[in-house]
Amino acid sequence: TRPSNSTNEAQNTDQKTDKSLQEYAGTNTAVTFTSDGIINGQDEHRQIRITVNNTARTLEIVQGYQNTVINTYSFANNQEAYKQFLAALNTSGYAKEKVDAKVKNPEGQCPLGIRYYYDASNVENFPDNLWSSSCGKQIGTFGGNFSDVRSLFQLQIPSYNTLTQNVSLN
């Protein structure tokens, strides 16, 4: 069991999920963080997508706008590691939505920057369409700690920087 503190409890009430993320560690869930590059030509456009579940951690390099995966790297995971990862995401506000978001639809937003997407499958009441961008905190619907969430996902992939060094998002 984790120690209770008022900060974590307050964050949990801001989130739409009925239970904390780590309670999903033993279920068929997956969480995903996607970095979507500048809006450029189909052949040059790239995304970096990291998906984590209780059996695997996967990095995918995606080309274009039709979800064509050009490279995949997978690493084993286990339920306890996943539980700790989900607990850290929960503390970082991974499921927190900005209720007063000025720009809710990411389409066409931050065209010369990077858009970041936050997804969860099989997580009850997870907010739809969570996103943020490198163009500032004013736009987007994600209300959590961006830098912590990004780092937590990148740290799930051994040699992340080496595996993505030739991927240009801008």
Side-chain angles (χ1 to χ4, degrees), residues 33-107:
F33 177 77
T34 303
S35 301
D36 188 16
I38 65 169
I39 298 174
N40 53 0
Q42 163 70 17
D43 52 340
E44 295 293 321
H45 187 74
R46 295 291 185 273
Q47 290 183 342
I48 298 172
R49 181 170 51 216
I50 301 170
T51 302
V52 180
N53 63 35
N54 64 6
T55 61
R57 298 163 292 141
T58 304
L59 169 69
E60 295 173 307
I61 309 301
V62 180
Q63 176 185 2
Y65 297 92
Q66 296 178 316
N67 228 12
T68 304
V69 177
I70 57 174
N71 284 346
T72 301
Y73 307 94
S74 287
F75 306 91
N77 205 14
N78 62 59
Q79 185 173 328
E80 186 56 33
Y82 188 51
K83 180 180 178 184
Q84 293 302 316
F85 176 63
L86 290 176
L89 287 179
N90 199 63
T91 299
S92 299
Y94 183 73
K96 186 175 182 181
E97 182 177 23
K98 276 196 282 184
V99 291
D100 60 346
K102 291 176 180 44
V103 180
K104 295 188 184 228
N105 185 342
E107 193 168 296

Side-chain angles (χ1 to χ4, degrees), residues 7 9-10 13 18 21 33 52 57 72 96 101 107 111 125 136 161-162:
T7 303
E9 299 302 293
T13 59
D18 291 338
L21 285 175
F33 177 77
V52 180
R57 298 163 292 141
T72 301
K96 186 175 182 181
E107 193 168 296
N125 296 321
N161 290 332
T162 302

Side-chain angles (χ1 to χ4, degrees), residues 2-3 7 14 27 40 73 103 112 133 141 155:
R2 65 179 173 88
T7 303
D14 288 341
T27 67
N40 53 0
Y73 307 94
V103 180
L112 301 179
S133 78
T141 58
L155 289 167

Side-chain angles (χ1 to χ4, degrees), residues 39 103-110 115 117 129 131:
I39 298 174
V103 180
K104 295 188 184 228
N105 185 342
E107 193 168 296
Q109 296 298 318
C110 193
R115 287 154 314 285
Y117 299 98
N129 200 28
W131 68 281

